[in-house]
Amino acid sequence: MTAVSTPFVAPSTAGAQARLPLVTVRDLRVRYAPDAPLVLDGVDLDLHPGEMVALLGASGSGKSTLMKTLTGFAPISGGTARVGGFDLNNLRRGQLRELRSNVGQVFQQFNLIGRLSVLTNVLAGSLYGAGPLNLLGTFRSEDRKRALELLDRVGIAHKADQEARTLSGGQQQRVAIARALMQRPKLILADEPVASLDPKMSRTVLELLRSIAHQEGIPVLVSLHVLPLALAHSDRIVGLRHGELVVQGATSQLDAAQLAVVYDVDDEEEED
């Protein structure tokens, strides 16, 4: 594939093109070794600008592997996957870095550097596009301005100078979201972002992610375990069971009974 400097369709693109999927996955199959069982088996998925999609599945269903595949961290054994203008079946090393620079990631454990300030943690999100000053640990004034604006966007600008480790779990997750936005991502992947938060803060974080999807035109794929949260805070729901796609549809057309098949498993396996 020929390298493309700006392969992603901008979220602001007008008309029908804006509704073209940013992510297209067809008949995706993933196994980690030639003789190993399939972790994903025949998965289809589209992600469009401006939507929040909840990814449901029990432990071992393949949720984490699907997200890893979209950033080139899991091998594709069959089928196709495209993220923006990148063909994930045929990525060169330089393209892999560019792909990852366009994908913001939010994790369950926040992955902040606790002894550094909240502002510095957010600024770290700009390192994917680092110039010489950034690499030396000095950030441009425009980066600092943007980082403060993003902290205000997530509601914790007043914590900018505090060490990240002094914040509550919910506050740290909002810092992590601001850091992901600092990349100017075209796609956000949130892997169990509320698993360690209380119910109230879980709702706050998911509302924030959904508002980012809608207002910024960035597709957000968020993996969840709790059905009520998925039903309350997503536009579409995708359900995996033993690596296979068993549910996919608009959230408004699904209910808990229809989604029960996602968790109809005989045994619990270790999360992939």
Side-chain angles (χ1 to χ4, degrees):
M1 170 182 169
T2 303
V4 183
S5 59
T6 55
F8 285 89
V9 176
S12 60
T13 302
Q17 189 179 14
R19 297 307 303 164
L20 292 175
L22 187 81
V23 174
T24 303
V25 173
R26 293 292 180 270
D27 195 27
L28 179 66
R29 299 184 298 283
V30 173
R31 54 165 49 96
Y32 287 103
D35 298 326
L38 286 169
V39 181
L40 295 175
D41 188 2
V43 172
D44 293 339
L45 175 69
D46 288 334
L47 297 176
H48 294 83
E51 68 173 352
M52 173 119 145
V53 178
L55 177 61
L56 298 179
S59 295
S61 63
K63 302 191 307 297
S64 294
T65 292
L66 178 56
M67 289 193 171
K68 290 175 182 176
T69 302
L70 297 180
T71 50
F73 283 109
I76 296 177
S77 304
T80 61
R82 297 187 67 87
V83 177
F86 293 105
D87 178 357
L88 274 63
N89 299 70
N90 300 286
L91 278 179
R92 299 190 186 96
R93 185 181 298 274
Q95 292 174 321
L96 185 61
R97 177 178 174 80
E98 188 175 356
L99 165 69
R100 291 173 181 168
S101 74
N102 281 278
V103 180
Q105 298 192 72
V106 181
F107 303 96
Q108 176 181 344
Q109 299 302 326
F110 320 135
N111 291 350
L112 303 179
I113 301 175
R115 62 183 175 79
L116 296 183
S117 71
V118 166
L119 179 61
T120 302
N121 272 279
V122 175
L123 283 164
S126 67
L127 290 176
Y128 267 112
L133 289 179
N134 302 67
L135 292 172
L136 290 171
T138 304
F139 295 92
R140 298 172 301 181
S141 60
E142 55 263 44
D143 287 334
R144 292 177 176 274
K145 180 175 182 292
R146 174 168 169 76
L148 287 169
E149 290 172 348
L150 290 173
L151 283 172
D152 185 58
R153 172 77 173 81
V154 302
I156 51 173
H158 59 293
K159 302 284 187 179
D161 294 328
Q162 288 188 214
E163 291 185 359
R165 61 188 170 190
T166 66
L167 273 58
S168 68
Q171 290 172 333
Q172 289 190 54
Q173 193 59 289
R174 283 186 277 171
V175 174
I177 292 170
R179 179 185 59 193
L181 289 173
M182 193 69 192
Q183 293 178 222
R184 301 184 186 275
K186 306 303 185 295
L187 168 67
I188 292 176
L189 302 178
D191 194 358
E192 298 289 353
V194 300
S196 59
L197 304 181
D198 63 52
K200 180 179 179 180
M201 189 51 61
S202 294
R203 292 192 295 271
T204 298
V205 167
L206 292 175
E207 287 169 2
L208 174 60
L209 286 170
R210 195 176 187 187
S211 71
I212 289 168
H214 291 179
Q215 295 172 17
E216 309 295 331
I218 302 171
V220 176
L221 180 65
V222 54
S223 66
L224 297 169
H225 272 303
V226 182
L227 286 179
L229 289 176
L231 288 167
H233 301 286
S234 68
D235 302 304
R236 283 197 299 120
I237 293 177
V238 174
L240 295 175
R241 180 172 179 265
H242 294 318
E244 297 182 353
L245 187 68
V246 293
V247 175
Q248 183 165 207
T251 304
S252 60
Q253 298 175 358
L254 297 171
D255 57 31
Q258 292 169 303
L259 294 169
V261 64
V262 174
Y263 298 100
D264 183 18
V265 294
D266 298 324
D267 55 3
E268 285 290 312
E269 303 174 42
E270 186 177 340
E271 179 67 16
D272 49 25

mmCIF file with all atom_site columns, all heavy atoms in Angstrom, residues 28-50:
data_model
loop_
_atom_site.group_PDB
_atom_site.id
_atom_site.type_symbol
_atom_site.label_atom_id
_atom_site.label_alt_id
_atom_site.label_comp_id
_atom_site.label_asym_id
_atom_site.label_entity_id
_atom_site.label_seq_id
_atom_site.pdbx_PDB_ins_code
_atom_site.Cartn_x
_atom_site.Cartn_y
_atom_site.Cartn_z
_atom_site.occupancy
_atom_site.B_iso_or_equiv
_atom_site.pdbx_formal_charge
_atom_site.auth_seq_id
_atom_site.auth_comp_id
_atom_site.auth_asym_id
_atom_site.auth_atom_id
_atom_site.pdbx_PDB_model_num
ATOM 1   N N   . LEU A 1 28 ? -13.263 -11.131 9.830  1.00 0.00 ? 28 LEU A N   1
ATOM 2   C CA  . LEU A 1 28 ? -11.971 -11.093 10.517 1.00 0.00 ? 28 LEU A CA  1
ATOM 3   C C   . LEU A 1 28 ? -11.753 -12.356 11.337 1.00 0.00 ? 28 LEU A C   1
ATOM 4   O O   . LEU A 1 28 ? -12.595 -12.754 12.146 1.00 0.00 ? 28 LEU A O   1
ATOM 5   C CB  . LEU A 1 28 ? -11.911 -9.871  11.431 1.00 0.00 ? 28 LEU A CB  1
ATOM 6   C CG  . LEU A 1 28 ? -10.625 -9.703  12.245 1.00 0.00 ? 28 LEU A CG  1
ATOM 7   C CD1 . LEU A 1 28 ? -9.438  -9.432  11.320 1.00 0.00 ? 28 LEU A CD1 1
ATOM 8   C CD2 . LEU A 1 28 ? -10.782 -8.574  13.266 1.00 0.00 ? 28 LEU A CD2 1
ATOM 9   N N   . ARG A 1 29 ? -10.580 -12.938 11.150 1.00 0.00 ? 29 ARG A N   1
ATOM 10  C CA  . ARG A 1 29 ? -10.178 -14.105 11.932 1.00 0.00 ? 29 ARG A CA  1
ATOM 11  C C   . ARG A 1 29 ? -8.791  -13.843 12.505 1.00 0.00 ? 29 ARG A C   1
ATOM 12  O O   . ARG A 1 29 ? -7.900  -13.379 11.794 1.00 0.00 ? 29 ARG A O   1
ATOM 13  C CB  . ARG A 1 29 ? -10.184 -15.374 11.063 1.00 0.00 ? 29 ARG A CB  1
ATOM 14  C CG  . ARG A 1 29 ? -11.560 -15.691 10.497 1.00 0.00 ? 29 ARG A CG  1
ATOM 15  C CD  . ARG A 1 29 ? -11.594 -16.985 9.712  1.00 0.00 ? 29 ARG A CD  1
ATOM 16  N NE  . ARG A 1 29 ? -10.736 -16.980 8.538  1.00 0.00 ? 29 ARG A NE  1
ATOM 17  C CZ  . ARG A 1 29 ? -11.029 -16.366 7.396  1.00 0.00 ? 29 ARG A CZ  1
ATOM 18  N NH1 . ARG A 1 29 ? -12.157 -15.686 7.274  1.00 0.00 ? 29 ARG A NH1 1
ATOM 19  N NH2 . ARG A 1 29 ? -10.197 -16.424 6.365  1.00 0.00 ? 29 ARG A NH2 1
ATOM 20  N N   . VAL A 1 30 ? -8.646  -14.142 13.779 1.00 0.00 ? 30 VAL A N   1
ATOM 21  C CA  . VAL A 1 30 ? -7.380  -13.906 14.473 1.00 0.00 ? 30 VAL A CA  1
ATOM 22  C C   . VAL A 1 30 ? -7.029  -15.120 15.322 1.00 0.00 ? 30 VAL A C   1
ATOM 23  O O   . VAL A 1 30 ? -7.855  -15.608 16.092 1.00 0.00 ? 30 VAL A O   1
ATOM 24  C CB  . VAL A 1 30 ? -7.459  -12.656 15.383 1.00 0.00 ? 30 VAL A CB  1
ATOM 25  C CG1 . VAL A 1 30 ? -6.190  -12.522 16.225 1.00 0.00 ? 30 VAL A CG1 1
ATOM 26  C CG2 . VAL A 1 30 ? -7.676  -11.390 14.563 1.00 0.00 ? 30 VAL A CG2 1
ATOM 27  N N   . ARG A 1 31 ? -5.807  -15.594 15.166 1.00 0.00 ? 31 ARG A N   1
ATOM 28  C CA  . ARG A 1 31 ? -5.227  -16.584 16.077 1.00 0.00 ? 31 ARG A CA  1
ATOM 29  C C   . ARG A 1 31 ? -3.785  -16.167 16.333 1.00 0.00 ? 31 ARG A C   1
ATOM 30  O O   . ARG A 1 31 ? -3.141  -15.560 15.482 1.00 0.00 ? 31 ARG A O   1
ATOM 31  C CB  . ARG A 1 31 ? -5.294  -18.004 15.519 1.00 0.00 ? 31 ARG A CB  1
ATOM 32  C CG  . ARG A 1 31 ? -4.693  -18.183 14.131 1.00 0.00 ? 31 ARG A CG  1
ATOM 33  C CD  . ARG A 1 31 ? -4.472  -19.670 13.792 1.00 0.00 ? 31 ARG A CD  1
ATOM 34  N NE  . ARG A 1 31 ? -5.596  -20.530 14.034 1.00 0.00 ? 31 ARG A NE  1
ATOM 35  C CZ  . ARG A 1 31 ? -6.488  -20.888 13.111 1.00 0.00 ? 31 ARG A CZ  1
ATOM 36  N NH1 . ARG A 1 31 ? -6.374  -20.437 11.868 1.00 0.00 ? 31 ARG A NH1 1
ATOM 37  N NH2 . ARG A 1 31 ? -7.473  -21.690 13.411 1.00 0.00 ? 31 ARG A NH2 1
ATOM 38  N N   . TYR A 1 32 ? -3.282  -16.474 17.519 1.00 0.00 ? 32 TYR A N   1
ATOM 39  C CA  . TYR A 1 32 ? -1.961  -15.994 17.910 1.00 0.00 ? 32 TYR A CA  1
ATOM 40  C C   . TYR A 1 32 ? -0.826  -16.942 17.559 1.00 0.00 ? 32 TYR A C   1
ATOM 41  O O   . TYR A 1 32 ? 0.347   -16.589 17.699 1.00 0.00 ? 32 TYR A O   1
ATOM 42  C CB  . TYR A 1 32 ? -1.944  -15.679 19.406 1.00 0.00 ? 32 TYR A CB  1
ATOM 43  C CG  . TYR A 1 32 ? -2.703  -14.404 19.734 1.00 0.00 ? 32 TYR A CG  1
ATOM 44  C CD1 . TYR A 1 32 ? -3.981  -14.459 20.280 1.00 0.00 ? 32 TYR A CD1 1
ATOM 45  C CD2 . TYR A 1 32 ? -2.152  -13.157 19.479 1.00 0.00 ? 32 TYR A CD2 1
ATOM 46  C CE1 . TYR A 1 32 ? -4.674  -13.300 20.572 1.00 0.00 ? 32 TYR A CE1 1
ATOM 47  C CE2 . TYR A 1 32 ? -2.839  -11.992 19.771 1.00 0.00 ? 32 TYR A CE2 1
ATOM 48  C CZ  . TYR A 1 32 ? -4.106  -12.063 20.317 1.00 0.00 ? 32 TYR A CZ  1
ATOM 49  O OH  . TYR A 1 32 ? -4.800  -10.909 20.601 1.00 0.00 ? 32 TYR A OH  1
ATOM 50  N N   . ALA A 1 33 ? -1.141  -18.137 17.103 1.00 0.00 ? 33 ALA A N   1
ATOM 51  C CA  . ALA A 1 33 ? -0.131  -19.094 16.660 1.00 0.00 ? 33 ALA A CA  1
ATOM 52  C C   . ALA A 1 33 ? -0.777  -19.987 15.611 1.00 0.00 ? 33 ALA A C   1
ATOM 53  O O   . ALA A 1 33 ? -2.005  -20.170 15.609 1.00 0.00 ? 33 ALA A O   1
ATOM 54  C CB  . ALA A 1 33 ? 0.398   -19.918 17.830 1.00 0.00 ? 33 ALA A CB  1
ATOM 55  N N   . PRO A 1 34 ? 0.014   -20.552 14.698 1.00 0.00 ? 34 PRO A N   1
ATOM 56  C CA  . PRO A 1 34 ? -0.563  -21.339 13.597 1.00 0.00 ? 34 PRO A CA  1
ATOM 57  C C   . PRO A 1 34 ? -1.510  -22.449 14.042 1.00 0.00 ? 34 PRO A C   1
ATOM 58  O O   . PRO A 1 34 ? -2.522  -22.699 13.388 1.00 0.00 ? 34 PRO A O   1
ATOM 59  C CB  . PRO A 1 34 ? 0.685   -21.904 12.904 1.00 0.00 ? 34 PRO A CB  1
ATOM 60  C CG  . PRO A 1 34 ? 1.756   -20.907 13.195 1.00 0.00 ? 34 PRO A CG  1
ATOM 61  C CD  . PRO A 1 34 ? 1.481   -20.414 14.574 1.00 0.00 ? 34 PRO A CD  1
ATOM 62  N N   . ASP A 1 35 ? -1.192  -23.122 15.130 1.00 0.00 ? 35 ASP A N   1
ATOM 63  C CA  . ASP A 1 35 ? -2.034  -24.233 15.574 1.00 0.00 ? 35 ASP A CA  1
ATOM 64  C C   . ASP A 1 35 ? -2.979  -23.857 16.705 1.00 0.00 ? 35 ASP A C   1
ATOM 65  O O   . ASP A 1 35 ? -3.671  -24.721 17.248 1.00 0.00 ? 35 ASP A O   1
ATOM 66  C CB  . ASP A 1 35 ? -1.149  -25.406 16.027 1.00 0.00 ? 35 ASP A CB  1
ATOM 67  C CG  . ASP A 1 35 ? -0.296  -25.950 14.885 1.00 0.00 ? 35 ASP A CG  1
ATOM 68  O OD1 . ASP A 1 35 ? -0.785  -25.940 13.735 1.00 0.00 ? 35 ASP A OD1 1
ATOM 69  O OD2 . ASP A 1 35 ? 0.846   -26.367 15.148 1.00 0.00 ? 35 ASP A OD2 1
ATOM 70  N N   . ALA A 1 36 ? -3.006  -22.586 17.062 1.00 0.00 ? 36 ALA A N   1
ATOM 71  C CA  . ALA A 1 36 ? -3.859  -22.140 18.162 1.00 0.00 ? 36 ALA A CA  1
ATOM 72  C C   . ALA A 1 36 ? -5.298  -21.971 17.685 1.00 0.00 ? 36 ALA A C   1
ATOM 73  O O   . ALA A 1 36 ? -5.553  -21.766 16.494 1.00 0.00 ? 36 ALA A O   1
ATOM 74  C CB  . ALA A 1 36 ? -3.331  -20.822 18.709 1.00 0.00 ? 36 ALA A CB  1
ATOM 75  N N   . PRO A 1 37 ? -6.262  -22.061 18.604 1.00 0.00 ? 37 PRO A N   1
ATOM 76  C CA  . PRO A 1 37 ? -7.663  -21.826 18.214 1.00 0.00 ? 37 PRO A CA  1
ATOM 77  C C   . PRO A 1 37 ? -7.882  -20.375 17.826 1.00 0.00 ? 37 PRO A C   1
ATOM 78  O O   . PRO A 1 37 ? -7.127  -19.476 18.225 1.00 0.00 ? 37 PRO A O   1
ATOM 79  C CB  . PRO A 1 37 ? -8.435  -22.180 19.491 1.00 0.00 ? 37 PRO A CB  1
ATOM 80  C CG  . PRO A 1 37 ? -7.454  -22.002 20.602 1.00 0.00 ? 37 PRO A CG  1
ATOM 81  C CD  . PRO A 1 37 ? -6.121  -22.383 20.034 1.00 0.00 ? 37 PRO A CD  1
ATOM 82  N N   . LEU A 1 38 ? -8.913  -20.138 17.045 1.00 0.00 ? 38 LEU A N   1
ATOM 83  C CA  . LEU A 1 38 ? -9.256  -18.774 16.655 1.00 0.00 ? 38 LEU A CA  1
ATOM 84  C C   . LEU A 1 38 ? -9.767  -17.998 17.856 1.00 0.00 ? 38 LEU A C   1
ATOM 85  O O   . LEU A 1 38 ? -10.641 -18.470 18.596 1.00 0.00 ? 38 LEU A O   1
ATOM 86  C CB  . LEU A 1 38 ? -10.317 -18.792 15.555 1.00 0.00 ? 38 LEU A CB  1
ATOM 87  C CG  . LEU A 1 38 ? -9.844  -19.207 14.156 1.00 0.00 ? 38 LEU A CG  1
ATOM 88  C CD1 . LEU A 1 38 ? -11.051 -19.443 13.251 1.00 0.00 ? 38 LEU A CD1 1
ATOM 89  C CD2 . LEU A 1 38 ? -8.925  -18.154 13.545 1.00 0.00 ? 38 LEU A CD2 1
ATOM 90  N N   . VAL A 1 39 ? -9.254  -16.796 18.021 1.00 0.00 ? 39 VAL A N   1
ATOM 91  C CA  . VAL A 1 39 ? -9.745  -15.898 19.061 1.00 0.00 ? 39 VAL A CA  1
ATOM 92  C C   . VAL A 1 39 ? -10.895 -15.057 18.518 1.00 0.00 ? 39 VAL A C   1
ATOM 93  O O   . VAL A 1 39 ? -11.847 -14.745 19.232 1.00 0.00 ? 39 VAL A O   1
ATOM 94  C CB  . VAL A 1 39 ? -8.609  -15.000 19.577 1.00 0.00 ? 39 VAL A CB  1
ATOM 95  C CG1 . VAL A 1 39 ? -9.111  -14.065 20.679 1.00 0.00 ? 39 VAL A CG1 1
ATOM 96  C CG2 . VAL A 1 39 ? -7.454  -15.842 20.099 1.00 0.00 ? 39 VAL A CG2 1
ATOM 97  N N   . LEU A 1 40 ? -10.817 -14.677 17.254 1.00 0.00 ? 40 LEU A N   1
ATOM 98  C CA  . LEU A 1 40 ? -11.915 -14.029 16.539 1.00 0.00 ? 40 LEU A CA  1
ATOM 99  C C   . LEU A 1 40 ? -12.211 -14.856 15.302 1.00 0.00 ? 40 LEU A C   1
ATOM 100 O O   . LEU A 1 40 ? -11.290 -15.286 14.599 1.00 0.00 ? 40 LEU A O   1
ATOM 101 C CB  . LEU A 1 40 ? -11.556 -12.594 16.138 1.00 0.00 ? 40 LEU A CB  1
ATOM 102 C CG  . LEU A 1 40 ? -11.343 -11.598 17.272 1.00 0.00 ? 40 LEU A CG  1
ATOM 103 C CD1 . LEU A 1 40 ? -10.876 -10.255 16.717 1.00 0.00 ? 40 LEU A CD1 1
ATOM 104 C CD2 . LEU A 1 40 ? -12.615 -11.420 18.091 1.00 0.00 ? 40 LEU A CD2 1
ATOM 105 N N   . ASP A 1 41 ? -13.484 -15.061 15.028 1.00 0.00 ? 41 ASP A N   1
ATOM 106 C CA  . ASP A 1 41 ? -13.866 -15.963 13.944 1.00 0.00 ? 41 ASP A CA  1
ATOM 107 C C   . ASP A 1 41 ? -15.004 -15.364 13.126 1.00 0.00 ? 41 ASP A C   1
ATOM 108 O O   . ASP A 1 41 ? -16.171 -15.425 13.515 1.00 0.00 ? 41 ASP A O   1
ATOM 109 C CB  . ASP A 1 41 ? -14.287 -17.326 14.521 1.00 0.00 ? 41 ASP A CB  1
ATOM 110 C CG  . ASP A 1 41 ? -14.523 -18.382 13.450 1.00 0.00 ? 41 ASP A CG  1
ATOM 111 O OD1 . ASP A 1 41 ? -14.330 -18.079 12.262 1.00 0.00 ? 41 ASP A OD1 1
ATOM 112 O OD2 . ASP A 1 41 ? -14.891 -19.510 13.815 1.00 0.00 ? 41 ASP A OD2 1
ATOM 113 N N   . GLY A 1 42 ? -14.653 -14.714 12.013 1.00 0.00 ? 42 GLY A N   1
ATOM 114 C CA  . GLY A 1 42 ? -15.661 -14.206 11.085 1.00 0.00 ? 42 GLY A CA  1
ATOM 115 C C   . GLY A 1 42 ? -16.363 -12.946 11.531 1.00 0.00 ? 42 GLY A C   1
ATOM 116 O O   . GLY A 1 42 ? -17.564 -12.778 11.282 1.00 0.00 ? 42 GLY A O   1
ATOM 117 N N   . VAL A 1 43 ? -15.637 -12.034 12.170 1.00 0.00 ? 43 VAL A N   1
ATOM 118 C CA  . VAL A 1 43 ? -16.244 -10.816 12.713 1.00 0.00 ? 43 VAL A CA  1
ATOM 119 C C   . VAL A 1 43 ? -16.361 -9.736  11.640 1.00 0.00 ? 43 VAL A C   1
ATOM 120 O O   . VAL A 1 43 ? -15.403 -9.467  10.908 1.00 0.00 ? 43 VAL A O   1
ATOM 121 C CB  . VAL A 1 43 ? -15.415 -10.283 13.909 1.00 0.00 ? 43 VAL A CB  1
ATOM 122 C CG1 . VAL A 1 43 ? -15.912 -8.916  14.353 1.00 0.00 ? 43 VAL A CG1 1
ATOM 123 C CG2 . VAL A 1 43 ? -15.457 -11.282 15.057 1.00 0.00 ? 43 VAL A CG2 1
ATOM 124 N N   . ASP A 1 44 ? -17.525 -9.118  11.555 1.00 0.00 ? 44 ASP A N   1
ATOM 125 C CA  . ASP A 1 44 ? -17.767 -7.954  10.705 1.00 0.00 ? 44 ASP A CA  1
ATOM 126 C C   . ASP A 1 44 ? -18.062 -6.753  11.605 1.00 0.00 ? 44 ASP A C   1
ATOM 127 O O   . ASP A 1 44 ? -18.765 -6.879  12.607 1.00 0.00 ? 44 ASP A O   1
ATOM 128 C CB  . ASP A 1 44 ? -18.975 -8.173  9.790  1.00 0.00 ? 44 ASP A CB  1
ATOM 129 C CG  . ASP A 1 44 ? -18.747 -9.252  8.750  1.00 0.00 ? 44 ASP A CG  1
ATOM 130 O OD1 . ASP A 1 44 ? -17.579 -9.561  8.453  1.00 0.00 ? 44 ASP A OD1 1
ATOM 131 O OD2 . ASP A 1 44 ? -19.743 -9.793  8.243  1.00 0.00 ? 44 ASP A OD2 1
ATOM 132 N N   . LEU A 1 45 ? -17.532 -5.594  11.235 1.00 0.00 ? 45 LEU A N   1
ATOM 133 C CA  . LEU A 1 45 ? -17.754 -4.401  12.048 1.00 0.00 ? 45 LEU A CA  1
ATOM 134 C C   . LEU A 1 45 ? -17.533 -3.155  11.207 1.00 0.00 ? 45 LEU A C   1
ATOM 135 O O   . LEU A 1 45 ? -16.568 -3.073  10.448 1.00 0.00 ? 45 LEU A O   1
ATOM 136 C CB  . LEU A 1 45 ? -16.790 -4.374  13.239 1.00 0.00 ? 45 LEU A CB  1
ATOM 137 C CG  . LEU A 1 45 ? -16.818 -3.128  14.126 1.00 0.00 ? 45 LEU A CG  1
ATOM 138 C CD1 . LEU A 1 45 ? -18.124 -3.049  14.902 1.00 0.00 ? 45 LEU A CD1 1
ATOM 139 C CD2 . LEU A 1 45 ? -15.626 -3.124  15.074 1.00 0.00 ? 45 LEU A CD2 1
ATOM 140 N N   . ASP A 1 46 ? -18.428 -2.172  11.344 1.00 0.00 ? 46 ASP A N   1
ATOM 141 C CA  . ASP A 1 46 ? -18.240 -0.831  10.796 1.00 0.00 ? 46 ASP A CA  1
ATOM 142 C C   . ASP A 1 46 ? -18.328 0.167   11.944 1.00 0.00 ? 46 ASP A C   1
ATOM 143 O O   . ASP A 1 46 ? -19.173 0.017   12.836 1.00 0.00 ? 46 ASP A O   1
ATOM 144 C CB  . ASP A 1 46 ? -19.320 -0.480  9.764  1.00 0.00 ? 46 ASP A CB  1
ATOM 145 C CG  . ASP A 1 46 ? -19.161 -1.246  8.452  1.00 0.00 ? 46 ASP A CG  1
ATOM 146 O OD1 . ASP A 1 46 ? -18.028 -1.652  8.139  1.00 0.00 ? 46 ASP A OD1 1
ATOM 147 O OD2 . ASP A 1 46 ? -20.180 -1.440  7.765  1.00 0.00 ? 46 ASP A OD2 1
ATOM 148 N N   . LEU A 1 47 ? -17.478 1.169   11.919 1.00 0.00 ? 47 LEU A N   1
ATOM 149 C CA  . LEU A 1 47 ? -17.554 2.275   12.871 1.00 0.00 ? 47 LEU A CA  1
ATOM 150 C C   . LEU A 1 47 ? -17.617 3.571   12.089 1.00 0.00 ? 47 LEU A C   1
ATOM 151 O O   . LEU A 1 47 ? -16.738 3.856   11.274 1.00 0.00 ? 47 LEU A O   1
ATOM 152 C CB  . LEU A 1 47 ? -16.329 2.291   13.796 1.00 0.00 ? 47 LEU A CB  1
ATOM 153 C CG  . LEU A 1 47 ? -16.135 1.087   14.718 1.00 0.00 ? 47 LEU A CG  1
ATOM 154 C CD1 . LEU A 1 47 ? -14.830 1.220   15.502 1.00 0.00 ? 47 LEU A CD1 1
ATOM 155 C CD2 . LEU A 1 47 ? -17.309 0.934   15.676 1.00 0.00 ? 47 LEU A CD2 1
ATOM 156 N N   . HIS A 1 48 ? -18.655 4.359   12.344 1.00 0.00 ? 48 HIS A N   1
ATOM 157 C CA  . HIS A 1 48 ? -18.875 5.597   11.607 1.00 0.00 ? 48 HIS A CA  1
ATOM 158 C C   . HIS A 1 48 ? -18.507 6.814   12.445 1.00 0.00 ? 48 HIS A C   1
ATOM 159 O O   . HIS A 1 48 ? -18.623 6.790   13.679 1.00 0.00 ? 48 HIS A O   1
ATOM 160 C CB  . HIS A 1 48 ? -20.345 5.714   11.188 1.00 0.00 ? 48 HIS A CB  1
ATOM 161 C CG  . HIS A 1 48 ? -20.779 4.691   10.196 1.00 0.00 ? 48 HIS A CG  1
ATOM 162 N ND1 . HIS A 1 48 ? -21.168 3.417   10.561 1.00 0.00 ? 48 HIS A ND1 1
ATOM 163 C CD2 . HIS A 1 48 ? -20.880 4.744   8.838  1.00 0.00 ? 48 HIS A CD2 1
ATOM 164 C CE1 . HIS A 1 48 ? -21.495 2.735   9.483  1.00 0.00 ? 48 HIS A CE1 1
ATOM 165 N NE2 . HIS A 1 48 ? -21.327 3.514   8.422  1.00 0.00 ? 48 HIS A NE2 1
ATOM 166 N N   . PRO A 1 49 ? -18.104 7.900   11.802 1.00 0.00 ? 49 PRO A N   1
ATOM 167 C CA  . PRO A 1 49 ? -17.845 9.145   12.530 1.00 0.00 ? 49 PRO A CA  1
ATOM 168 C C   . PRO A 1 49 ? -19.061 9.569   13.348 1.00 0.00 ? 49 PRO A C   1
ATOM 169 O O   . PRO A 1 49 ? -20.197 9.496   12.880 1.00 0.00 ? 49 PRO A O   1
ATOM 170 C CB  . PRO A 1 49 ? -17.557 10.158  11.417 1.00 0.00 ? 49 PRO A CB  1
ATOM 171 C CG  . PRO A 1 49 ? -17.021 9.321   10.290 1.00 0.00 ? 49 PRO A CG  1
ATOM 172 C CD  . PRO A 1 49 ? -17.802 8.042   10.357 1.00 0.00 ? 49 PRO A CD  1
ATOM 173 N N   . GLY A 1 50 ? -18.814 9.984   14.592 1.00 0.00 ? 50 GLY A N   1
ATOM 174 C CA  . GLY A 1 50 ? -19.876 10.544  15.411 1.00 0.00 ? 50 GLY A CA  1
ATOM 175 C C   . GLY A 1 50 ? -20.707 9.560   16.193 1.00 0.00 ? 50 GLY A C   1
ATOM 176 O O   . GLY A 1 50 ? -21.710 9.958   16.790 1.00 0.00 ? 50 GLY A O   1
#
